[in-house]
Amino acid sequence: MSRARYSPGRMLGGIGFYAAVTAFVVFALFPIYWTLKISVTPSSLLYSEGITAWPSKATLHNYASVLAVTNFPRYFLNSIVVSVSTAVLVTVIASAAGYAFSRFRFRGKNVVAFLLLLTQTFPLVMVIPPIYRIMGSLHLTNSLTGLVIIYVAFNIPFATFLMQSFCDGVPRDLEEAALIDGCTRPQALMRVVLPLTLPGMGATIGFVFTAAWSELLFALMLIDDENRKTFAVGLLTFIGKFDVDWGQMMAASMLGLIPACLFFALLQRYLVAGLTAGAVKG
Amino acid sequence: MSVTLSQGRDAHRPSLGRAFRRAIEPWLYITPALTILLLVLLIPLVVGIGYSFRRFTAFRSEYVGLDQYRRMLGDPALGQALVNTVWWTAGSLVLQFALGLALALLLNRDFRGRKFVQAVVFLPWAVPSFLAGLTWAWLFNPVIGPLPHWLFHLGVQAQPTNILSDPATAMWGPILANVWFGVPFFAITLLAALKSIPNELYEAAALDGASVLQRFTWLTIPFLAPTIAITVMLRTIWIATFADLIFVMTGGGPAGSTNTIATYVYVSAFRAMDKGYASAVAVLLLVLLVLYALVLIGMRRRLLTQP
């Protein structure tokens, strides 16, 4: 970035800066490291070497059985389909709604905003029975499509507010200049507002993807069919009546982080793309 | 502003059609979102509120008016749950926001390995919440987890014990797990907002001789303000309704010391199978959170209208 780019991190000085960054990395990684440690610990050593940093004998046995014996490859695939569909649909629908909130004054706007907010203010357990009934009447129980519809609904309100705030951040003058130059409003939206809100869209996609990836309650309630279960529900299969297969569960969890990592890596490109798009606008 | 401009541009068109188009255009953008919300959340919410006026027995239910709400008045567990909810929400939110903002500012600077760090620190958000709860419960367990031993060596604890089993400290467990889980949320949204600030503004401010602190106060904060306002409000509401971590880590115990309204709704619905009372408690939470949001929105409006 350019030299004049301001960052308060500079005040901390080099050492303080890297110390802070390291602290965040350690804090974020430590529980994940412990998950990894449990996943490579043979079950015989699980309790006797409970607090050592690494087991005296590590094994990949748990990973092998998760991939070869259990139905996890299928669960992963289902989760990827559901999460990607949800993330794309939500981002499109919520960008449109957020844009409308940011740029228009219209009758009923406050009512719509209130309804959006209202959907966030109660524990979802309250609406499980009615949602189940509605999905049943649409023949969407036990289906990944039904799950996507539910996740889209859960994520729209937040994504809309987020996209509204990002649209608010785009100076109106830029858009109006485009309108004066003869663009129609949809053209101005596509050429001026959209490129500038790309970092916001990237963040939105990331949030929705991970929310759908790790959702448990409704996936558990809606899906019975073994071949349509998602990753989070699959994790519960390791919790038996009498004991928990910690090793396999943690191995599956570690594998479950891989798609999320790949997704974040992809997002980085968008965050950078948004930056350059902002610089080019001129 | 945009109205006057488009009037000038469209002056030759019939005004009725234009007015109609302007009235209908926002609804075109909003209808898809609104339709799916009505179907999946708002109609079920109305049905769910209806449950709070009924009593459910094994195979049928009957209308009982406000009985479930009257029951809440004489429920000592609910009062404690209210206090716990405030404590849980405020503690989690303040720490998540402060650390999230710090992280966003760190990541907004260019440094070697930034991409790696960025990917790594966002990972906790991708961990399913019940799994996060299990992992943290594991870390706090003195037999299989390292944290009690660290606390012991630091002199915080007289001997390595599980803070989750002591009513005085139990709430810190889920709060810490929640901070771990939620810092990436603030970091990502605030970082994206930071990246949307045009570079030119900083360059201009630097040319004008603004100090680092001045630029932070007069440029960064005002630009972040809309994002901060909306994320803090939503996050408060989410934390208050978020039961997974507590449910997995402590189940609301010991002695109700980590029981929040949200976990109480889960426990009433699943363990006690008391759907009517669970709905009434959920409605109480809904009303409190709507009031909170209205107060916050009102404050924001007053701030905006001040010169």
Side-chain angles (χ1 to χ4, degrees), chain B residues 138-201:
Chain B
W138 187 289
L139 290 173
F140 281 121
N141 185 323
V143 180
I144 46 180
L147 291 184
H149 301 272
W150 294 359
L151 290 175
F152 169 65
H153 285 297
L154 286 171
V156 181
Q157 286 190 334
Q159 55 196 30
T161 54
N162 195 336
I163 64 162
L164 298 177
S165 49
D166 180 354
T169 53
M171 188 60 105
W172 282 108
I175 287 182
L176 188 63
N178 197 15
V179 170
W180 178 78
F181 176 67
V183 163
F185 169 84
F186 278 114
I188 299 173
T189 41
L190 295 176
L191 181 62
L194 281 172
K195 301 238 181 206
S196 307
I197 304 178
N199 264 344
E200 296 88 327
L201 290 179

Side-chain angles (χ1 to χ4, degrees), chain B residues 4-303:
Chain B
T4 44
L5 279 173
S6 56
Q7 268 171 357
R9 194 165 57 87
D10 290 349
H12 58 282
R13 297 202 187 149
S15 69
L16 189 68
R18 200 186 65 231
F20 180 71
R21 246 187 29 209
R22 270 206 75 76
I24 207 133
E25 196 182 350
W27 290 100
L28 289 179
Y29 296 120
I30 284 176
T31 303
L34 206 53
T35 310
I36 199 162
L37 280 181
L38 271 176
L39 184 71
V40 181
L41 279 169
L42 291 168
I43 293 173
L45 174 63
V46 173
V47 177
I49 293 175
Y51 289 162
S52 70
F53 300 106
R54 308 188 73 83
R55 182 166 52 226
F56 290 80
T57 45
F59 296 105
R60 52 198 199 86
S61 69
E62 55 169 340
Y63 179 77
V64 293
L66 291 173
D67 273 10
Q68 303 286 16
Y69 291 92
R70 265 183 227 118
R71 242 176 95 190
M72 290 199 294
L73 292 176
D75 184 351
L78 191 67
Q80 191 192 9
L82 264 173
V83 175
N84 287 342
T85 304
V86 172
W87 174 220
W88 150 255
T89 309
S92 305
L93 182 83
V94 168
L95 289 171
Q96 283 180 358
F97 176 74
L99 292 173
L101 179 62
L103 183 56
L105 290 168
L106 290 174
L107 289 176
N108 196 34
R109 202 174 135 172
D110 215 23
F111 61 91
R112 217 180 232 282
R114 187 180 58 86
K115 281 192 172 176
F116 169 77
V117 171
Q118 194 165 307
V120 162
V121 292
F122 291 162
L123 266 184
W125 187 261
V127 176
S129 52
F130 79 96
L131 189 69
L134 282 178
T135 307
W136 277 95
W138 187 289
L139 290 173
F140 281 121
N141 185 323
V143 180
I144 46 180
L147 291 184
H149 301 272
W150 294 359
L151 290 175
F152 169 65
H153 285 297
L154 286 171
V156 181
Q157 286 190 334
Q159 55 196 30
T161 54
N162 195 336
I163 64 162
L164 298 177
S165 49
D166 180 354
T169 53
M171 188 60 105
W172 282 108
I175 287 182
L176 188 63
N178 197 15
V179 170
W180 178 78
F181 176 67
V183 163
F185 169 84
F186 278 114
I188 299 173
T189 41
L190 295 176
L191 181 62
L194 281 172
K195 301 238 181 206
S196 307
I197 304 178
N199 264 344
E200 296 88 327
L201 290 179
Y202 281 120
E203 283 155 18
L207 283 178
D208 289 346
S211 75
V212 167
L213 192 65
Q214 281 172 329
R215 277 177 279 167
F216 183 72
T217 320
W218 298 109
L219 254 178
T220 313
I221 291 295
F223 257 96
L224 289 185
T227 311
I228 291 178
I230 201 74
T231 48
V232 164
M233 184 174 84
L234 276 175
R235 197 77 193 117
T236 313
I237 291 173
W238 285 352
I239 295 172
T241 55
F242 183 41
D244 305 19
L245 286 175
I246 297 179
F247 197 71
V248 170
M249 291 176 76
T250 65
S257 60
T258 58
N259 194 25
T260 63
I261 302 274
T263 49
Y264 199 48
V265 171
Y266 274 76
V267 169
S268 306
F270 285 130
R271 293 226 180 113
M273 298 300 271
D274 197 346
K275 206 158 69 173
Y277 191 60
S279 291
V281 176
V283 170
L284 171 72
L285 184 60
L286 180 149
V287 170
L288 291 176
L289 289 175
V290 166
L291 287 176
Y292 164 81
L294 290 178
V295 167
L296 216 64
I297 292 168
M299 272 166 56
R300 183 166 170 253
R301 199 159 282 169
R302 193 182 291 177
L303 275 178

